[in-house]
Amino acid sequence: MPIKASTPSSVLLVCLGNICRSPTAEEIFRQQAAIAGLSMRVDSAGTGDWHIGHAPDERAQRHAKAHGYKINKLVARQVNADDFRNFDLILAMDAQNLADLQSIKDGLKDTDTKLAKLALFSEEDPTYGGYDVPDPYTGDSDAFEEVIERIESSAQAWIESWKT
């Protein structure tokens, strides 16, 4: 299947702490891209620094595994300036993280370097377009299931948007 020239070669998925939404999105996005025949680097990070070096939340791991996604080996990290130089597209799980990313990007002094495009993760999704992927951290089991459903939908929508 032909892929548009504008298809990114690298995508960074970002939430607040990089222990629930973005690591789940990283693995789902990676798998869906591979199934679609896309060769791209996929990673995740958080805008906050509370969980640097930690594995994903155990509840996120458990729910992801139940859907065939293994995220237990991922390690939380914080977004840094190089991410804006090294990724083509950075997708934020919610509007607040998108605003935080835009603020970081605006503070970079790069004039000769092409910086990553920023977008809301659900931007291309006909079902969830424009809505935040809700943070399940303080929620129950249903919250983690909803996150997986939304991430699967939005990841697929991005991939479909790159097909010609």
Side-chain angles (χ1 to χ4, degrees), residues 30-137:
R30 182 180 287 124
Q31 283 191 28
Q32 288 191 6
I35 290 167
L38 295 175
S39 176
M40 64 175 52
R41 182 168 54 105
V42 180
D43 196 3
S44 64
T47 55
D49 63 358
W50 311 279
H51 303 291
I52 293 173
H54 296 163
D57 183 283
E58 288 183 14
R59 298 164 298 169
Q61 289 185 48
R62 186 170 55 253
H63 286 274
K65 186 176 181 181
H67 289 269
Y69 306 112
K70 293 182 78 176
I71 63 171
N72 59 311
K73 302 264 193 251
L74 300 179
V75 177
R77 71 177 188 86
Q78 188 175 23
V79 171
N80 63 63
D82 284 339
D83 289 327
F84 293 86
R85 298 176 191 102
N86 297 330
F87 286 91
D88 297 324
L89 178 62
I90 300 177
L91 299 175
M93 294 294 124
D94 61 50
Q96 183 58 58
N97 282 297
L98 183 58
D100 292 343
L101 289 165
Q102 187 65 57
S103 180
I104 295 167
K105 183 178 177 181
D106 290 346
L108 298 176
K109 302 297 182 211
D110 298 51
T111 55
D112 59 340
T113 304
K114 181 180 174 240
L115 298 176
K117 176 186 175 195
L118 302 178
L120 191 63
F121 184 67
S122 67
E123 183 176 298
E124 293 290 330
D125 194 328
T127 304
Y128 300 108
Y131 291 103
D132 292 347
V133 175
D135 191 344
Y137 188 74

